[in-house]
Amino acid sequence: MRLPRAFVTAALATAFLVGAGHAPQAVAGELPGDTVFFTDSESQVNKWVAANPSDSRQPRIASRIGSQPQAVWFARYSPSTVTADVRRVTSAAAGKNQVPVLVAYMIPNRDCGGASAGGAPDLAAYDTWARNFAAGLGSGSSIVILEPDSIALISCLSSSELSARYASLARAASAIHAANPKARVYFDAGHSAWNSASVQASRLRSAGVLTSGDGIYSNVSNYNRTANEVAFAKSVLSQLGGSGLTAVIDTSRNGNGPAPDNAWCDPHGRKLGENPTANTGDPAIDAYLWIKLPGELDGCAGAAGSFSPDYAYELAG
């Protein structure tokens, strides 16, 4: 939700232009099980908690949601500030010896015109934004969730547009690694109730995950049960061969599983899932993360990304 200052070193610029030259070949379970993820005092939920001490919903929201580490989204196109905005998060996390989870959400035609439509005006602008995003990562460990829906949701793209998107995703991941080799970049695998594992793996391969990625993520902003997502992620990884890639899973709202009608946009009756942790007990699964921020809307009960204390309270119940 924030954005950049155009400063990139010559080495970073060269790596970005070369494209998918980074081959992390991550070792399964490389993310330490005792990793502590970043809790952002500037998140919408924590700002609401601080501003509403007398609200009857506040204690539950504060203890169940505000206290938990969650991702920080960079989804508003403001190229002149993204480097500083990313640096604010990574610096704050470093000061707490925590690992931030950052979501880069700026690819053109994101969401294919849905509730979260937007992004950079074109891929050239996105490439610049990605370099500037990378320039704010600092030198500490971080997790980057690269462009939710960018590989699973491609219905609005022509074949040439899709090829260009894939190439741009690979360049973005390479720029991130060039700026900070400790950053782990995860590519979009959709979720278990969407594309098949073989289809998703084929797309991930085309997007450069084998040479530019550290792993994949699933279930972002969705509600599928963790066991289903673990099985799906492992199936995708298997389709990718002996790559050494691993996975992270969004458990922010999957405590009750999907809605009976599989509604995805602000359905009622959902609950928080497993708290964020890198101690998953499974070497193929690096972490359970809260990537979609509980209480921030999908776009049906209010503007996409806006915070609803009513919805947060229901999820935390």
Side-chain angles (χ1 to χ4, degrees), residues 123-205:
L123 286 177
Y126 176 73
D127 286 356
T128 299
W129 182 89
R131 291 196 301 268
N132 293 338
F133 173 95
L137 289 172
S139 59
S141 297
S142 61
I143 287 176
V144 177
I145 304 299
L146 186 63
E147 301 298 336
D149 293 344
S150 61
I151 298 173
L153 179 58
I154 59 173
S155 58
C156 61
L157 302 178
S158 68
S159 59
S160 61
E161 289 171 331
L162 180 58
S163 295
R165 171 180 284 193
Y166 286 162
S168 191
L169 288 170
R171 289 194 298 270
S174 293
I176 289 167
H177 285 122
N180 181 358
K182 290 184 179 179
R184 295 180 60 79
V185 183
Y186 295 82
F187 281 53
D188 172 36
H191 59 71
S192 61
W194 201 345
N195 302 310
S196 69
S198 60
V199 165
Q200 200 63 31
S202 176
R203 294 181 184 181
L204 283 158
R205 190 177 290 108

Side-chain angles (χ1 to χ4, degrees), residues 123-317:
L123 286 177
Y126 176 73
D127 286 356
T128 299
W129 182 89
R131 291 196 301 268
N132 293 338
F133 173 95
L137 289 172
S139 59
S141 297
S142 61
I143 287 176
V144 177
I145 304 299
L146 186 63
E147 301 298 336
D149 293 344
S150 61
I151 298 173
L153 179 58
I154 59 173
S155 58
C156 61
L157 302 178
S158 68
S159 59
S160 61
E161 289 171 331
L162 180 58
S163 295
R165 171 180 284 193
Y166 286 162
S168 191
L169 288 170
R171 289 194 298 270
S174 293
I176 289 167
H177 285 122
N180 181 358
K182 290 184 179 179
R184 295 180 60 79
V185 183
Y186 295 82
F187 281 53
D188 172 36
H191 59 71
S192 61
W194 201 345
N195 302 310
S196 69
S198 60
V199 165
Q200 200 63 31
S202 176
R203 294 181 184 181
L204 283 158
R205 190 177 290 108
S206 296
V209 71
L210 295 178
T211 51
S212 300
D214 297 286
I216 61 174
Y217 58 83
S218 69
N219 210 42
V220 170
S221 299
N222 217 279
Y223 308 87
N224 298 303
R225 292 190 183 276
T226 302
N228 292 342
E229 293 306 301
V230 168
F232 172 71
K234 287 183 174 181
S235 183
V236 174
L237 293 172
S238 177
Q239 292 281 337
L240 290 169
S243 62
L245 299 176
T246 48
V248 296
I249 293 169
D250 187 352
T251 59
S252 59
R253 304 188 298 181
N254 70 349
N256 272 356
D261 56 357
N262 287 317
W264 64 268
C265 191
D266 303 323
H268 289 289
R270 305 309 94 211
K271 298 298 179 185
L272 302 172
E274 290 96 336
N275 286 344
T277 181
N279 187 19
T280 68
D282 190 326
I285 309 300
D286 281 340
Y288 303 139
L289 301 173
W290 284 9
I291 299 173
K292 173 66 179 181
L293 310 181
E296 293 195 9
L297 298 175
D298 299 311
C300 292
S306 61
F307 179 74
S308 167
D310 285 337
Y311 201 55
Y313 187 76
E314 181 180 353
L315 287 169

